[in-house]
């Protein structure tokens, strides 16, 4: 699944070395954390993993600060039916909690909360409710969260307003983007809508607080002294686009400073910057989530192995008379069979012209025919998402034109792989792939000038992979433990300014790459990449060859 990198800021320098903190009782093994529910999988991340993540983040907080995190909202699908709930990945990363209507509070210094002293972390959860649980499933409740997730302090969410948190005592109040499009369940006085409202009221967050302004203030504080040449043009652009930015005295004082000394004074005026910070936590989490732990890599391997098995089984079953929906169904059947709870993103299954639509998700072409089919699909296993793309000919054989484009994309991917090593710039794989595709398109006559390459290769080559398919990261040089995608592609829609023999050929090849100490490991190598390997696999029998559904009248 491709990613377009528009604007990313450098890594936040954490106040702790993330890879060297040692916590008592931390194990590298993955164990069950949901022991209360019977007959559930036993390889979830253990509570010690989440506890270590919380402690690392807490150590990175500024003095006399508090950090607040909210669970993801419930999303309505239609009438009285909601979408299957999916937790905010940051919230899950820090807690392991998978239910809605919850808030996590981390304190830099120990506090007295709910009458208990020495508290550095507090989780407020939705309460047990046997009647509602009989309709919508088991709830953990605060006691279950205490026992199973092993947080220091837990309470029902209705206790959040009366917990005794002394918001006025904190010099800084840090949070991620506050949910704004949340339904108010009038039957529940402590739902997410009310939790956010209670936080805003008690912490004194101004009604007109603008997260974009907060992010720009944070950028000034972090990079204003060392990178003003790049920061000032960006501030100028944002000031023209957003009245709130243009009216902010802190941002404008920095913009109007004419000397380094004046800029330092503007940066240091923390009173003007305010005590509410909606961006620093995101930057800290970028640095933490970028480097995967052994526990996370184990789950990613499983998600990717499931996804590559799906690609293999689909290739063996492909026929020209199949539909895009049927191909999607095989992928997702394989995922569920091997225990993946979800897809990491909506499956992209596009044949012919549809393969030239980058995020095509309709998947309703009734017959594939002899067009190439592009399959960008990934299983999500215990929260961690794979992202694997293969392109194959339903007939079992590439045509000459299809093969030429495919092998050009393959050569570009091979060139990108060579840049996947510690110390390489994040954009190095893309630059290598872009050069190969540019040269190849010139040689094939699809373009006449190198500047035209973006007609047919329109996206970036890599993004981070983890709890999000487009995961958090700093976009700094690659390090061991980073997992990225490498996914060059060429897309030639009908009526493109080239020979019609190329029209409606769309090819993307995407693999999931773990950066190691000495180079890289292709975690998705199980799915065939070369023309010879794809055609060889497609010639094999499929477990679905004799699976025939009755015709519907």
């Amino acid at each position: 699944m491709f990613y377009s990198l528009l604007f990313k800021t450098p890594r936040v320098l954490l106040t702790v070395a993330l890879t060297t903190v040692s916590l008592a009782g931390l194990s590298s093994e993955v164990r069950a954390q949901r022991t209360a529910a019977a007959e559930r999988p036993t390889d979830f991340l253990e509570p010690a993993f989440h506890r270590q993540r919380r402690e690392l983040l807490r150590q990175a907080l500024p003095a006399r600060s508090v950090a607040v995190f909210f669970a993801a909202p419930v999303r309505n699908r239609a009438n009285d039916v909601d979408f299957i709930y999916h937790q905010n990945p940051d919230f899950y990363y820090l807690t392991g909690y998978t239910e809605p209507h919850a808030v996590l509070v981390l304190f830099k210094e120990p506090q007295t909360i709910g009458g208990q002293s020495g508290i550095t972390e507090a989780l407020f959860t939705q309460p047990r409710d046997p009647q509602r649980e009989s309709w919508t499933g088991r709830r953990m409740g605060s006691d279950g969260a205490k026992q199973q997730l092993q947080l220091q302090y837990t309470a029902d969410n209705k206790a959040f307003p009366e917990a005794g948190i002394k918001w006025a005592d904190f010099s800084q109040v840090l949070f991620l983007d506050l949910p704004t499009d949340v339904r108010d369940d009038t039957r529940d006085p402590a739902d997410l809508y009310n939790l956010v409202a209670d936080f805003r009221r008690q912490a004194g967050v101004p009604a007109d607080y603008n997260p974009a302004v907060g992010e720009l203030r944070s950028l000034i504080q972090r990079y204003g002294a060392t990178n003003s040449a790049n920061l000032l043009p960006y501030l100028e652009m944002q000031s023209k686009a957003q009245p709130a930015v243009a009216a902010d005295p802190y941002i404008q004082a920095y913009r109007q400073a004419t000397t380094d000394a004046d800029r330092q004074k503007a940066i240091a005026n923390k009173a003007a910057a305010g005590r509410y910070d909606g961006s620093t936590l995101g930057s800290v989490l970028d640095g933490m989530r970028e480097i995967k732990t052994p526990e996370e890599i184990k789950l990613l391997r499983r998600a990717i192995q499931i996804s590559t098995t799906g690609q293999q089984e689909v290739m063996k079953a492909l026929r020209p008379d199949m539909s895009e929906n049927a191909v999607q169904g095989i992928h997702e059947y394989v995922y569920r069979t091997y225990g993946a709870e979800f897809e990491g993103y909506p499956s992209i299954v596009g044949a012919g012209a549809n393969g030239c639509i980058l995020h095509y998700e309709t998947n309703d072409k009734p017959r594939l025919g002899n067009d190439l089919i592009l399959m960008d699909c990934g299983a999500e296993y215990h929260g961690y998402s794979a992202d694997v793309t293969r392109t194959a000919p339903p007939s079992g054989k590439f045509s000459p034109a299809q093969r030429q484009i495919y092998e050009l994309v393959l050569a570009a991917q091979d060139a990108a792989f060579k840049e996947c090593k510690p110390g390489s710039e994040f954009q190095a794989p893309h630059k290598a792939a872009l050069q190969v595709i540019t040269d190849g398109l010139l040689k094939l006559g699809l373009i006449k000038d190198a500047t035209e390459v973006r007609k047919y290769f329109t996206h970036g080559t890599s993004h981070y992979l983890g709890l999000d398919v487009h995961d958090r990261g700093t976009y700094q040089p690659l390090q061991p433990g980073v997992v990225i995608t490498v996914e060059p592609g060429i897309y030639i829609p009908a009526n493109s300014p080239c020979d019609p023999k190329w029209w409606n050929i769309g090819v993307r090849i995407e693999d999931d790459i773990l950066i190691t100490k000495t180079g890289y490991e292709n975690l998705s190598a199980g799915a065939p990449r070369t023309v010879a390997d794809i055609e060889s696999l497609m010639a094999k029998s499929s477990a679905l060859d004799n699976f025939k559904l009755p015709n519907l009248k």
Side-chain angles (χ1 to χ4, degrees):
M1 190 176 189
F2 81 94
Y3 183 61
S4 177
L5 179 62
L6 299 178
F7 181 83
K8 287 290 177 183
T9 56
R11 175 193 303 277
V12 170
L13 298 178
L14 300 183
T15 58
V16 293
L18 297 180
T19 57
T20 59
V21 171
S22 176
L23 298 178
L26 181 63
S27 167
S28 62
E29 294 297 318
V30 180
R31 297 177 186 160
Q33 67 183 30
R34 294 171 177 82
T35 55
E39 299 181 350
R40 294 210 61 194
T42 59
D43 57 344
F44 291 99
L45 292 168
E46 63 172 320
F49 169 86
H50 303 290
R51 184 171 70 246
Q52 186 200 43
R53 302 297 99 189
R54 292 193 299 275
E55 183 61 18
L56 288 172
L57 188 144
R58 195 181 69 81
Q59 290 184 28
L61 296 177
R64 296 181 56 230
S65 68
V66 59
V68 184
F69 303 85
F70 291 96
V74 174
R75 297 299 187 194
N76 181 250
R77 185 178 186 273
N79 195 16
D80 60 348
V81 177
D82 293 329
F83 284 102
I84 294 175
Y85 185 71
H86 193 276
Q87 186 59 277
N88 179 315
D90 288 323
F91 201 90
Y92 179 75
Y93 184 70
L94 294 171
T95 65
Y97 188 70
T98 58
E99 300 176 24
H101 308 304
V103 57
L104 171 71
V105 187
L106 300 180
F107 307 100
K108 179 65 175 183
E109 293 86 11
Q111 305 290 312
T112 297
I113 305 299
Q116 297 184 32
S117 61
I119 301 300
T120 58
E121 55 181 35
L123 176 66
F124 299 86
T125 72
Q126 63 177 359
R128 296 295 308 275
D129 185 332
Q131 182 178 7
R132 298 189 75 169
E133 288 179 55
S134 69
W135 285 85
T136 58
R138 300 179 183 90
R139 294 183 178 185
M140 190 175 288
S142 59
D143 290 340
K146 178 82 169 180
Q147 177 186 6
Q148 297 176 51
L149 304 181
Q150 300 177 16
L151 277 94
Q152 187 182 25
Y153 178 91
T154 62
D156 286 350
N157 53 18
K158 62 185 178 182
F160 178 60
E162 290 81 36
I165 300 173
K166 298 179 180 178
W167 299 100
D169 290 350
F170 301 113
S171 60
Q172 284 186 270
V173 180
L174 293 83
F175 44 87
L176 299 172
D177 289 344
L178 296 177
T180 56
D181 55 342
V182 182
R183 291 180 300 165
D184 181 9
D185 183 351
T186 57
R187 301 169 299 171
D188 187 352
D191 64 358
L192 182 63
Y193 182 92
N194 288 288
L195 289 173
V196 174
D198 287 333
F199 163 67
R200 295 186 71 115
R201 183 180 66 254
Q202 293 194 65
V205 180
D208 62 350
Y209 174 80
N210 187 313
V213 171
E215 180 177 359
L216 294 175
R217 289 173 176 173
S218 182
L219 289 176
I220 290 171
Q221 291 169 26
R222 296 204 302 271
Y223 310 118
T226 59
N227 200 12
S228 61
N230 290 325
L231 184 56
L232 284 167
Y234 182 67
L235 294 175
E236 174 72 18
M237 177 179 68
Q238 294 300 315
S239 295
K240 291 179 179 179
Q242 302 188 62
V245 173
D248 184 74
Y250 185 82
I251 295 172
Q252 299 315 316
Y254 177 81
R255 284 187 60 215
Q256 294 163 11
T258 57
T259 66
D260 288 344
D262 289 341
R263 278 189 282 272
Q264 289 283 13
K265 290 180 182 178
I267 294 168
N269 187 7
K270 297 294 181 65
R275 59 193 289 262
Y276 304 102
D277 186 334
S279 61
T280 295
L281 288 180
S283 296
V284 174
L285 285 164
D286 285 346
M288 291 175 62
R289 283 177 54 183
E290 177 181 356
I291 308 297
K292 303 302 187 286
T293 68
E295 298 99 323
E296 293 179 286
I297 291 172
K298 183 173 182 178
L299 294 180
L300 273 169
R301 285 185 187 278
R302 183 66 172 174
I304 294 165
Q305 182 185 23
I306 291 170
S307 303
T308 59
T309 301
Q311 294 283 0
Q312 294 171 30
E313 293 306 313
V314 167
M315 287 183 188
K316 290 187 286 187
L318 268 178
R319 301 184 309 271
D321 62 346
M322 293 179 70
S323 68
E324 291 174 344
N325 262 322
V327 173
Q328 176 183 348
I330 298 172
H331 278 283
E332 295 175 9
Y333 171 75
V334 171
Y335 299 171
R336 297 303 194 278
T337 299
Y338 288 109
E341 296 90 341
F342 305 103
E343 300 80 58
Y345 51 94
S347 297
I348 299 169
V349 179
N354 296 334
C356 298
I357 301 171
L358 300 179
H359 272 187
Y360 173 76
E361 298 169 357
T362 310
N363 302 346
D364 64 354
K365 186 176 182 179
R367 189 177 188 278
L368 303 179
N370 292 322
D371 292 324
L372 289 178
I373 181 167
L374 187 156
M375 303 173 290
D376 186 339
C377 306
E380 181 184 303
Y381 187 80
H382 296 357
Y384 287 82
S385 177
D387 190 2
V388 182
T389 305
R390 291 295 186 265
T391 307
S395 67
K397 294 288 184 181
F398 288 84
S399 73
Q402 291 170 348
R403 181 171 186 147
Q404 284 180 288
I405 298 301
Y406 187 92
E407 291 190 330
L408 176 54
V409 175
L410 186 68
Q413 192 187 39
D414 285 337
F417 286 161
K418 294 178 182 178
E419 300 300 326
C420 294
K421 55 190 176 184
S424 287
E425 292 182 1
F426 184 85
Q427 289 293 327
H430 175 70
K431 291 176 181 177
L434 182 63
Q435 186 61 58
V436 171
I437 289 178
T438 300
D439 293 343
L441 293 179
L442 285 168
K443 185 175 181 180
L444 291 173
L446 274 89
I447 60 176
K448 297 179 180 179
D449 185 88
T451 59
E452 300 175 12
V453 67
R454 281 298 185 184
K455 290 180 181 178
Y456 304 118
F457 181 21
T458 54
H459 58 77
T461 299
S462 298
H463 59 76
Y464 295 106
L465 190 64
L467 283 168
D468 281 304
V469 66
H470 293 163
D471 209 29
R472 285 189 176 275
T474 65
Y475 296 87
Q476 292 296 290
L478 300 174
Q479 304 178 61
V482 167
V483 180
I484 63 171
T485 63
V486 174
E487 49 176 313
I490 295 175
Y491 317 91
I492 313 172
N495 301 312
S496 295
C498 61
D499 189 321
K501 73 177 182 179
W502 306 114
W503 289 359
N504 293 329
I505 294 178
V507 174
R508 181 160 67 249
I509 311 171
E510 178 179 20
D511 282 281
D512 302 339
I513 302 301
L514 169 65
I515 305 302
T516 66
K517 292 180 179 179
T518 58
Y520 74 91
E521 178 186 352
N522 185 351
L523 300 178
S524 50
R529 295 174 56 241
T530 67
V531 167
D533 287 345
I534 290 171
E535 292 182 346
S536 175
L537 180 63
M538 295 184 71
K540 295 182 179 181
S541 60
S542 166
L544 298 175
D545 285 343
N546 297 319
F547 180 67
K548 304 293 183 183
L549 292 172
N551 292 327
L552 299 180
K553 296 181 180 179

